[in-house]
Amino acid sequence: MVKNFLIRQATESDSRNIFEWRNDLLTLGMSHNKKTIEWKTHIDWFINTLKSENSLILICENNIDKIGVVRFDISNINAKVSINLNPGMRGKNLSKECLIKSIKFFSKKFPKIQRLEAEVSNDNIASKKIFTGSGFEKYKLYNNNIYYKKYLLLSK
């Protein structure tokens, strides 16, 4: 598979895909909240998150498929980042590049953010590889979750 893909901001038309990916059985197994999300709960959250000045949802896609979603939640000069792939795109070595390109997109839109953080289940081997391979450092293990950080270069 070609790794030439685009990063764009999510729109309302992406809601159904993100909902389905979130409720995928493997995703649920690796998530902090292992319960299936109801559509009404999801759509309310999604619309509010799209409108929020402290959140950014990005879609990674190629000419044919949506590859995954990367979300950033901002707090002061930090942002928490998470990634979830389209289940049909797993195992194709696309997630690391998707994350790296999403961070570049995010950094241009929010140049004052100095640090990214991620929280990953210790059982989620794929996500641990994605974050460490994208320049994140492990800084804490707590309650079977690994916490990662990555410092961003400040624009001058």
Side-chain angles (χ1 to χ4, degrees), residues 51-107:
K51 292 177 184 175
S52 173
E53 293 179 5
N54 293 317
S55 293
L56 182 66
I57 301 175
L58 300 177
I59 299 293
C60 306
E61 63 186 3
N62 60 25
N63 292 335
I64 303 165
D65 298 304
K66 292 180 186 176
I67 296 165
V69 59
V70 178
R71 188 177 94 217
F72 297 87
D73 294 312
I74 300 165
S75 174
N76 292 323
I77 58 171
N78 299 321
K80 188 172 182 180
V81 59
S82 61
I83 184 170
N84 190 21
L85 285 189
N86 170 348
M89 295 287 121
R90 291 184 185 133
K92 298 181 180 186
N93 294 321
L94 300 171
S95 51
K96 179 179 158 186
E97 189 171 342
C98 180
L99 181 59
I100 290 168
K101 287 186 176 189
S102 294
I103 290 168
K104 286 179 184 175
F105 185 105
F106 173 80
S107 294

Side-chain angles (χ1 to χ4, degrees), residues 17-37 84-88 90 121 123-124:
N17 292 120
I18 293 171
F19 171 75
E20 290 171 358
W21 302 343
R22 167 58 181 84
N23 283 328
D24 171 75
L25 290 177
L26 182 58
T27 300
L28 286 171
M30 295 297 158
S31 297
H32 303 299
N33 178 357
K34 301 194 183 303
K35 294 181 182 177
T36 302
I37 303 295
N84 190 21
L85 285 189
N86 170 348
R90 291 184 185 133
S121 168
D123 302 326
N124 191 338

Side-chain angles (χ1 to χ4, degrees), residues 37-54:
I37 303 295
E38 298 296 323
W39 175 251
K40 168 112 176 67
T41 303
H42 168 76
I43 198 67
D44 290 345
W45 166 83
F46 189 74
I47 297 301
N48 287 331
T49 303
L50 286 181
K51 292 177 184 175
S52 173
E53 293 179 5
N54 293 317

